Amino acid sequence: MLKIIIIEDDMDARLGLTDVMDWNDLGLSLCGSAANGRLGLELARKVRPDVIILDVRMPIMNGMECAREIRKFLPQCSFVFLSGYSDKKYLKEAIKLQAVDYLEKPVDLNELSELLERIVRNYKITQIWKGFSKESNQYQKVFSLVNEYMILWIDNQLDKERFISWTARLHIDMDPDGYFYSFYTLCSERKMLNTDTFIKIYDIFADHMGKYSFVAHPYDDGIATIVECDHPIRLDSIYEVANGINTICQQGCKKNCVTAFSEEAKGYHCVAHQFRKLNKRIQLYLIYGYGTVITPAMSKNSKSVLSESDINHVIYLISIEKVQVSLCELRKLEQLAYEAGDNDIKRVQMLFIYLYFSLNNLLSEKGILSEADVFTEMMNNLNQLQSSTIKDIVHLCEEKVSIISQLLKDVEISDVRIKKVISYMQSNYSSDVSLDRMADYVSLSPTYLSGIFKKETGKNVLQYLEDIRITKSLSLLSRGDLSISEIANMVGYRTPHYFAQIFKRVTGISPSMYKKQV
């Protein structure tokens, strides 16, 4: 138990807190009280408490002075200040002293109880990791212990006796016969799973559950969180917990995450079955997108009728330059993709990835790109595509079709150097592309490149680059989920204002007006 003392000059308030609060039930041991700051300081030196409740205004030595002195020899002690005065000066000082909270008199006992419960809960978490850094041997031992047993648990290879022993060693009070809920979060940065994250997750559970314990650890492509509760929890509360975990992980890794949660199950051994379902269900983010909470109700066993022959038909249409027809067909295929269930969605995603790379191969077949360039793009983009949603891959395919359409128009260009410059623009339009850089790319002077480029294409170099950028921006604007500023940056313009000027000159309307029309 944590030790607590009370420093309060008002005898009625001091005795009231001493007698009314159920200290043992809160996980606290009351080790004495004092009537002023000086006596409180002496008591703190003797008892060395973990938590101190102290009044701000007291004779001889006030609460702030007392806390400053105690902080010198008890740096980790938790202070809860009480005051009948709403004085900003005291609030500011309390913040400097890293107080847990500042409560006004008369004290709301329920509010105080909840606050003390949170202090005890957070202390238990930090104790697991206290006294060693991430580079220490002890940290590695604890991390390995959690990792080893979590994997055994999820793989249904952990018997009850070993489960009880393991949770006891980690100071996790889990009832093996309780109600278990599992959460799986796809998260690219697993190092964010630290003490602060544990505390935030604990607070989420506290808002939606009664008696509970949980363990969280890196797992597969993200983070596994398993919670045990002494009673069944309402589905809407479990959803809120999953949404909270997802938000915390997104804040920690600064990237989009997705979380799936299980139905309730009684007994620790059911966790393995929960994760077998979650590993499949989590893939539905390919339909619903990142930032989503995947619920059991979203799970389905249906199979999409989308096939490789459908993909090949789109490729054929593009190869014979029926661009608009191919884009219409592509959007139909996207709708077919959304019929896929847990077991089928990954197959469907791979079909669209196949389409994307087939479009690159088409450029090679038409002599626009070399086989080496196509292979390099495949290698550079494969990992990103494998974690992209269906919607995002379809959007990339639409962009690639637009590029192919433009390049096929220019296929009659005889000068290989001009073809290389056009290919360079298509690949680097989002960066700072200059005439000098393009001229250097094909080992020509800027003046000579300008002359032969206009002779071959009928446009000067920078006009051609503008056309590419504006064409890209039209596709991005049609998505509806990006701001004008984001799109300007994505197509290579430093400021939204300059982008808007060029866009209006090329298209005749402003980007915002075009966005409203599509």
PDB file of all heavy atoms in Angstrom, residues 449-476:
ATOM      1  N   LEU A 449      18.106  22.788 -74.380  1.00  0.00           N
ATOM      2  CA  LEU A 449      16.970  21.937 -74.017  1.00  0.00           C
ATOM      3  C   LEU A 449      15.655  22.651 -74.297  1.00  0.00           C
ATOM      4  O   LEU A 449      14.716  22.050 -74.846  1.00  0.00           O
ATOM      5  CB  LEU A 449      17.050  21.537 -72.539  1.00  0.00           C
ATOM      6  CG  LEU A 449      15.827  20.782 -71.993  1.00  0.00           C
ATOM      7  CD1 LEU A 449      15.616  19.468 -72.738  1.00  0.00           C
ATOM      8  CD2 LEU A 449      15.966  20.527 -70.494  1.00  0.00           C
ATOM      9  N   SER A 450      15.567  23.927 -73.939  1.00  0.00           N
ATOM     10  CA  SER A 450      14.333  24.690 -74.176  1.00  0.00           C
ATOM     11  C   SER A 450      13.961  24.695 -75.648  1.00  0.00           C
ATOM     12  O   SER A 450      12.786  24.532 -76.026  1.00  0.00           O
ATOM     13  CB  SER A 450      14.496  26.135 -73.682  1.00  0.00           C
ATOM     14  OG  SER A 450      14.628  26.167 -72.288  1.00  0.00           O
ATOM     15  N   GLY A 451      14.973  24.869 -76.492  1.00  0.00           N
ATOM     16  CA  GLY A 451      14.721  24.950 -77.923  1.00  0.00           C
ATOM     17  C   GLY A 451      14.218  23.638 -78.507  1.00  0.00           C
ATOM     18  O   GLY A 451      13.193  23.615 -79.208  1.00  0.00           O
ATOM     19  N   ILE A 452      14.894  22.533 -78.212  1.00  0.00           N
ATOM     20  CA  ILE A 452      14.487  21.263 -78.815  1.00  0.00           C
ATOM     21  C   ILE A 452      13.208  20.734 -78.169  1.00  0.00           C
ATOM     22  O   ILE A 452      12.425  20.027 -78.815  1.00  0.00           O
ATOM     23  CB  ILE A 452      15.617  20.202 -78.743  1.00  0.00           C
ATOM     24  CG1 ILE A 452      15.952  19.855 -77.277  1.00  0.00           C
ATOM     25  CG2 ILE A 452      16.853  20.669 -79.490  1.00  0.00           C
ATOM     26  CD1 ILE A 452      16.917  18.680 -77.157  1.00  0.00           C
ATOM     27  N   PHE A 453      12.956  21.082 -76.902  1.00  0.00           N
ATOM     28  CA  PHE A 453      11.743  20.639 -76.229  1.00  0.00           C
ATOM     29  C   PHE A 453      10.510  21.255 -76.882  1.00  0.00           C
ATOM     30  O   PHE A 453       9.528  20.555 -77.177  1.00  0.00           O
ATOM     31  CB  PHE A 453      11.794  20.998 -74.739  1.00  0.00           C
ATOM     32  CG  PHE A 453      10.727  20.335 -73.922  1.00  0.00           C
ATOM     33  CD1 PHE A 453      10.979  19.147 -73.256  1.00  0.00           C
ATOM     34  CD2 PHE A 453       9.451  20.880 -73.815  1.00  0.00           C
ATOM     35  CE1 PHE A 453      10.000  18.510 -72.511  1.00  0.00           C
ATOM     36  CE2 PHE A 453       8.460  20.261 -73.072  1.00  0.00           C
ATOM     37  CZ  PHE A 453       8.740  19.068 -72.415  1.00  0.00           C
ATOM     38  N   LYS A 454      10.580  22.566 -77.158  1.00  0.00           N
ATOM     39  CA  LYS A 454       9.429  23.230 -77.771  1.00  0.00           C
ATOM     40  C   LYS A 454       9.225  22.746 -79.198  1.00  0.00           C
ATOM     41  O   LYS A 454       8.081  22.602 -79.672  1.00  0.00           O
ATOM     42  CB  LYS A 454       9.617  24.743 -77.732  1.00  0.00           C
ATOM     43  CG  LYS A 454       8.366  25.480 -78.202  1.00  0.00           C
ATOM     44  CD  LYS A 454       8.359  26.924 -77.755  1.00  0.00           C
ATOM     45  CE  LYS A 454       7.029  27.569 -78.104  1.00  0.00           C
ATOM     46  NZ  LYS A 454       6.946  28.961 -77.633  1.00  0.00           N
ATOM     47  N   LYS A 455      10.322  22.448 -79.880  1.00  0.00           N
ATOM     48  CA  LYS A 455      10.225  21.963 -81.252  1.00  0.00           C
ATOM     49  C   LYS A 455       9.515  20.613 -81.311  1.00  0.00           C
ATOM     50  O   LYS A 455       8.694  20.350 -82.197  1.00  0.00           O
ATOM     51  CB  LYS A 455      11.620  21.854 -81.846  1.00  0.00           C
ATOM     52  CG  LYS A 455      11.635  21.421 -83.305  1.00  0.00           C
ATOM     53  CD  LYS A 455      13.060  21.357 -83.822  1.00  0.00           C
ATOM     54  CE  LYS A 455      13.076  20.881 -85.283  1.00  0.00           C
ATOM     55  NZ  LYS A 455      14.479  20.787 -85.806  1.00  0.00           N
ATOM     56  N   GLU A 456       9.803  19.741 -80.300  1.00  0.00           N
ATOM     57  CA  GLU A 456       9.229  18.393 -80.276  1.00  0.00           C
ATOM     58  C   GLU A 456       7.796  18.377 -79.758  1.00  0.00           C
ATOM     59  O   GLU A 456       6.959  17.598 -80.215  1.00  0.00           O
ATOM     60  CB  GLU A 456      10.097  17.474 -79.398  1.00  0.00           C
ATOM     61  CG  GLU A 456      11.416  17.080 -80.026  1.00  0.00           C
ATOM     62  CD  GLU A 456      11.268  15.941 -81.027  1.00  0.00           C
ATOM     63  OE1 GLU A 456      10.165  15.369 -81.131  1.00  0.00           O
ATOM     64  OE2 GLU A 456      12.241  15.628 -81.726  1.00  0.00           O
ATOM     65  N   THR A 457       7.486  19.216 -78.728  1.00  0.00           N
ATOM     66  CA  THR A 457       6.191  19.117 -78.042  1.00  0.00           C
ATOM     67  C   THR A 457       5.236  20.267 -78.326  1.00  0.00           C
ATOM     68  O   THR A 457       4.031  20.168 -78.056  1.00  0.00           O
ATOM     69  CB  THR A 457       6.401  19.052 -76.514  1.00  0.00           C
ATOM     70  OG1 THR A 457       6.944  20.309 -76.070  1.00  0.00           O
ATOM     71  CG2 THR A 457       7.337  17.915 -76.135  1.00  0.00           C
ATOM     72  N   GLY A 458       5.785  21.378 -78.824  1.00  0.00           N
ATOM     73  CA  GLY A 458       4.946  22.556 -79.064  1.00  0.00           C
ATOM     74  C   GLY A 458       4.772  23.407 -77.827  1.00  0.00           C
ATOM     75  O   GLY A 458       4.069  24.414 -77.848  1.00  0.00           O
ATOM     76  N   LYS A 459       5.381  22.995 -76.707  1.00  0.00           N
ATOM     77  CA  LYS A 459       5.298  23.757 -75.453  1.00  0.00           C
ATOM     78  C   LYS A 459       6.700  23.942 -74.901  1.00  0.00           C
ATOM     79  O   LYS A 459       7.593  23.116 -75.155  1.00  0.00           O
ATOM     80  CB  LYS A 459       4.454  23.019 -74.416  1.00  0.00           C
ATOM     81  CG  LYS A 459       2.999  22.815 -74.814  1.00  0.00           C
ATOM     82  CD  LYS A 459       2.262  22.054 -73.721  1.00  0.00           C
ATOM     83  CE  LYS A 459       0.807  21.820 -74.103  1.00  0.00           C
ATOM     84  NZ  LYS A 459       0.086  21.063 -73.062  1.00  0.00           N
ATOM     85  N   ASN A 460       6.887  25.009 -74.098  1.00  0.00           N
ATOM     86  CA  ASN A 460       8.177  25.116 -73.428  1.00  0.00           C
ATOM     87  C   ASN A 460       8.195  24.206 -72.196  1.00  0.00           C
ATOM     88  O   ASN A 460       7.152  23.703 -71.766  1.00  0.00           O
ATOM     89  CB  ASN A 460       8.524  26.578 -73.083  1.00  0.00           C
ATOM     90  CG  ASN A 460       7.611  27.162 -72.013  1.00  0.00           C
ATOM     91  OD1 ASN A 460       7.315  26.526 -71.009  1.00  0.00           O
ATOM     92  ND2 ASN A 460       7.155  28.395 -72.237  1.00  0.00           N
ATOM     93  N   VAL A 461       9.360  24.026 -71.630  1.00  0.00           N
ATOM     94  CA  VAL A 461       9.555  23.039 -70.558  1.00  0.00           C
ATOM     95  C   VAL A 461       8.662  23.334 -69.356  1.00  0.00           C
ATOM     96  O   VAL A 461       7.978  22.446 -68.825  1.00  0.00           O
ATOM     97  CB  VAL A 461      11.035  22.992 -70.130  1.00  0.00           C
ATOM     98  CG1 VAL A 461      11.219  22.008 -68.975  1.00  0.00           C
ATOM     99  CG2 VAL A 461      11.923  22.603 -71.299  1.00  0.00           C
ATOM    100  N   LEU A 462       8.655  24.578 -68.908  1.00  0.00           N
ATOM    101  CA  LEU A 462       7.918  24.913 -67.696  1.00  0.00           C
ATOM    102  C   LEU A 462       6.405  24.865 -67.915  1.00  0.00           C
ATOM    103  O   LEU A 462       5.648  24.531 -66.999  1.00  0.00           O
ATOM    104  CB  LEU A 462       8.347  26.288 -67.180  1.00  0.00           C
ATOM    105  CG  LEU A 462       9.812  26.358 -66.729  1.00  0.00           C
ATOM    106  CD1 LEU A 462      10.150  27.740 -66.192  1.00  0.00           C
ATOM    107  CD2 LEU A 462      10.117  25.295 -65.671  1.00  0.00           C
ATOM    108  N   GLN A 463       5.960  25.169 -69.131  1.00  0.00           N
ATOM    109  CA  GLN A 463       4.527  25.014 -69.437  1.00  0.00           C
ATOM    110  C   GLN A 463       4.108  23.544 -69.324  1.00  0.00           C
ATOM    111  O   GLN A 463       3.045  23.217 -68.795  1.00  0.00           O
ATOM    112  CB  GLN A 463       4.247  25.500 -70.868  1.00  0.00           C
ATOM    113  CG  GLN A 463       3.973  26.978 -70.996  1.00  0.00           C
ATOM    114  CD  GLN A 463       3.655  27.346 -72.442  1.00  0.00           C
ATOM    115  OE1 GLN A 463       4.201  26.762 -73.386  1.00  0.00           O
ATOM    116  NE2 GLN A 463       2.799  28.325 -72.627  1.00  0.00           N
ATOM    117  N   TYR A 464       4.958  22.687 -69.868  1.00  0.00           N
ATOM    118  CA  TYR A 464       4.668  21.255 -69.827  1.00  0.00           C
ATOM    119  C   TYR A 464       4.605  20.766 -68.381  1.00  0.00           C
ATOM    120  O   TYR A 464       3.722  19.985 -68.004  1.00  0.00           O
ATOM    121  CB  TYR A 464       5.752  20.492 -70.592  1.00  0.00           C
ATOM    122  CG  TYR A 464       5.329  19.129 -71.072  1.00  0.00           C
ATOM    123  CD1 TYR A 464       4.893  18.934 -72.367  1.00  0.00           C
ATOM    124  CD2 TYR A 464       5.356  18.033 -70.208  1.00  0.00           C
ATOM    125  CE1 TYR A 464       4.489  17.679 -72.817  1.00  0.00           C
ATOM    126  CE2 TYR A 464       4.954  16.782 -70.643  1.00  0.00           C
ATOM    127  CZ  TYR A 464       4.522  16.607 -71.939  1.00  0.00           C
ATOM    128  OH  TYR A 464       4.127  15.367 -72.376  1.00  0.00           O
ATOM    129  N   LEU A 465       5.541  21.256 -67.549  1.00  0.00           N
ATOM    130  CA  LEU A 465       5.554  20.880 -66.136  1.00  0.00           C
ATOM    131  C   LEU A 465       4.296  21.379 -65.427  1.00  0.00           C
ATOM    132  O   LEU A 465       3.695  20.660 -64.615  1.00  0.00           O
ATOM    133  CB  LEU A 465       6.808  21.448 -65.449  1.00  0.00           C
ATOM    134  CG  LEU A 465       6.941  21.206 -63.943  1.00  0.00           C
ATOM    135  CD1 LEU A 465       6.994  19.712 -63.630  1.00  0.00           C
ATOM    136  CD2 LEU A 465       8.179  21.910 -63.389  1.00  0.00           C
ATOM    137  N   GLU A 466       3.882  22.589 -65.758  1.00  0.00           N
ATOM    138  CA  GLU A 466       2.649  23.130 -65.180  1.00  0.00           C
ATOM    139  C   GLU A 466       1.445  22.267 -65.531  1.00  0.00           C
ATOM    140  O   GLU A 466       0.581  21.993 -64.688  1.00  0.00           O
ATOM    141  CB  GLU A 466       2.414  24.562 -65.673  1.00  0.00           C
ATOM    142  CG  GLU A 466       3.208  25.611 -64.937  1.00  0.00           C
ATOM    143  CD  GLU A 466       2.897  27.015 -65.431  1.00  0.00           C
ATOM    144  OE1 GLU A 466       2.057  27.149 -66.354  1.00  0.00           O
ATOM    145  OE2 GLU A 466       3.489  27.966 -64.897  1.00  0.00           O
ATOM    146  N   ASP A 467       1.383  21.822 -66.788  1.00  0.00           N
ATOM    147  CA  ASP A 467       0.265  20.973 -67.212  1.00  0.00           C
ATOM    148  C   ASP A 467       0.219  19.686 -66.403  1.00  0.00           C
ATOM    149  O   ASP A 467      -0.860  19.220 -66.001  1.00  0.00           O
ATOM    150  CB  ASP A 467       0.400  20.638 -68.707  1.00  0.00           C
ATOM    151  CG  ASP A 467       0.067  21.827 -69.596  1.00  0.00           C
ATOM    152  OD1 ASP A 467      -0.497  22.802 -69.070  1.00  0.00           O
ATOM    153  OD2 ASP A 467       0.364  21.763 -70.802  1.00  0.00           O
ATOM    154  N   ILE A 468       1.380  19.102 -66.179  1.00  0.00           N
ATOM    155  CA  ILE A 468       1.444  17.867 -65.375  1.00  0.00           C
ATOM    156  C   ILE A 468       0.947  18.132 -63.965  1.00  0.00           C
ATOM    157  O   ILE A 468       0.131  17.373 -63.415  1.00  0.00           O
ATOM    158  CB  ILE A 468       2.893  17.311 -65.348  1.00  0.00           C
ATOM    159  CG1 ILE A 468       3.289  16.786 -66.731  1.00  0.00           C
ATOM    160  CG2 ILE A 468       3.031  16.204 -64.295  1.00  0.00           C
ATOM    161  CD1 ILE A 468       4.749  16.393 -66.836  1.00  0.00           C
ATOM    162  N   ARG A 469       1.432  19.205 -63.366  1.00  0.00           N
ATOM    163  CA  ARG A 469       1.068  19.517 -61.985  1.00  0.00           C
ATOM    164  C   ARG A 469      -0.426  19.818 -61.849  1.00  0.00           C
ATOM    165  O   ARG A 469      -1.077  19.346 -60.912  1.00  0.00           O
ATOM    166  CB  ARG A 469       1.896  20.712 -61.486  1.00  0.00           C
ATOM    167  CG  ARG A 469       3.339  20.333 -61.150  1.00  0.00           C
ATOM    168  CD  ARG A 469       4.181  21.549 -60.841  1.00  0.00           C
ATOM    169  NE  ARG A 469       5.434  21.152 -60.194  1.00  0.00           N
ATOM    170  CZ  ARG A 469       6.468  21.966 -60.003  1.00  0.00           C
ATOM    171  NH1 ARG A 469       6.400  23.230 -60.431  1.00  0.00           N
ATOM    172  NH2 ARG A 469       7.552  21.536 -59.396  1.00  0.00           N
ATOM    173  N   ILE A 470      -0.966  20.583 -62.777  1.00  0.00           N
ATOM    174  CA  ILE A 470      -2.386  20.935 -62.702  1.00  0.00           C
ATOM    175  C   ILE A 470      -3.253  19.701 -62.948  1.00  0.00           C
ATOM    176  O   ILE A 470      -4.295  19.504 -62.299  1.00  0.00           O
ATOM    177  CB  ILE A 470      -2.742  22.059 -63.694  1.00  0.00           C
ATOM    178  CG1 ILE A 470      -1.965  23.332 -63.335  1.00  0.00           C
ATOM    179  CG2 ILE A 470      -4.239  22.335 -63.690  1.00  0.00           C
ATOM    180  CD1 ILE A 470      -2.151  23.817 -61.898  1.00  0.00           C
ATOM    181  N   THR A 471      -2.815  18.835 -63.868  1.00  0.00           N
ATOM    182  CA  THR A 471      -3.552  17.583 -64.103  1.00  0.00           C
ATOM    183  C   THR A 471      -3.585  16.739 -62.821  1.00  0.00           C
ATOM    184  O   THR A 471      -4.620  16.166 -62.459  1.00  0.00           O
ATOM    185  CB  THR A 471      -2.889  16.775 -65.240  1.00  0.00           C
ATOM    186  OG1 THR A 471      -2.913  17.550 -66.435  1.00  0.00           O
ATOM    187  CG2 THR A 471      -3.633  15.463 -65.477  1.00  0.00           C
ATOM    188  N   LYS A 472      -2.446  16.674 -62.130  1.00  0.00           N
ATOM    189  CA  LYS A 472      -2.391  15.943 -60.851  1.00  0.00           C
ATOM    190  C   LYS A 472      -3.325  16.576 -59.829  1.00  0.00           C
ATOM    191  O   LYS A 472      -4.030  15.879 -59.095  1.00  0.00           O
ATOM    192  CB  LYS A 472      -0.966  15.957 -60.290  1.00  0.00           C
ATOM    193  CG  LYS A 472       0.073  15.319 -61.171  1.00  0.00           C
ATOM    194  CD  LYS A 472      -0.068  13.834 -61.171  1.00  0.00           C
ATOM    195  CE  LYS A 472       1.057  13.194 -61.980  1.00  0.00           C
ATOM    196  NZ  LYS A 472       0.878  11.736 -62.071  1.00  0.00           N
ATOM    197  N   SER A 473      -3.330  17.898 -59.783  1.00  0.00           N
ATOM    198  CA  SER A 473      -4.151  18.596 -58.787  1.00  0.00           C
ATOM    199  C   SER A 473      -5.646  18.371 -59.030  1.00  0.00           C
ATOM    200  O   SER A 473      -6.429  18.311 -58.085  1.00  0.00           O
ATOM    201  CB  SER A 473      -3.835  20.093 -58.778  1.00  0.00           C
ATOM    202  OG  SER A 473      -4.304  20.723 -59.952  1.00  0.00           O
ATOM    203  N   LEU A 474      -6.046  18.230 -60.298  1.00  0.00           N
ATOM    204  CA  LEU A 474      -7.459  17.965 -60.595  1.00  0.00           C
ATOM    205  C   LEU A 474      -7.906  16.656 -59.960  1.00  0.00           C
ATOM    206  O   LEU A 474      -8.992  16.560 -59.385  1.00  0.00           O
ATOM    207  CB  LEU A 474      -7.675  17.902 -62.109  1.00  0.00           C
ATOM    208  CG  LEU A 474      -7.507  19.217 -62.886  1.00  0.00           C
ATOM    209  CD1 LEU A 474      -7.561  18.957 -64.379  1.00  0.00           C
ATOM    210  CD2 LEU A 474      -8.577  20.222 -62.483  1.00  0.00           C
ATOM    211  N   SER A 475      -7.045  15.657 -60.048  1.00  0.00           N
ATOM    212  CA  SER A 475      -7.361  14.358 -59.449  1.00  0.00           C
ATOM    213  C   SER A 475      -7.433  14.465 -57.926  1.00  0.00           C
ATOM    214  O   SER A 475      -8.324  13.902 -57.292  1.00  0.00           O
ATOM    215  CB  SER A 475      -6.296  13.335 -59.864  1.00  0.00           C
ATOM    216  OG  SER A 475      -6.510  12.100 -59.232  1.00  0.00           O
ATOM    217  N   LEU A 476      -6.497  15.202 -57.328  1.00  0.00           N
ATOM    218  CA  LEU A 476      -6.476  15.357 -55.870  1.00  0.00           C
ATOM    219  C   LEU A 476      -7.674  16.156 -55.373  1.00  0.00           C
ATOM    220  O   LEU A 476      -8.258  15.852 -54.328  1.00  0.00           O
ATOM    221  CB  LEU A 476      -5.167  16.027 -55.435  1.00  0.00           C
ATOM    222  CG  LEU A 476      -3.887  15.224 -55.675  1.00  0.00           C
ATOM    223  CD1 LEU A 476      -2.647  16.089 -55.406  1.00  0.00           C
ATOM    224  CD2 LEU A 476      -3.850  13.990 -54.790  1.00  0.00           C
TER     225      LEU A 476
END
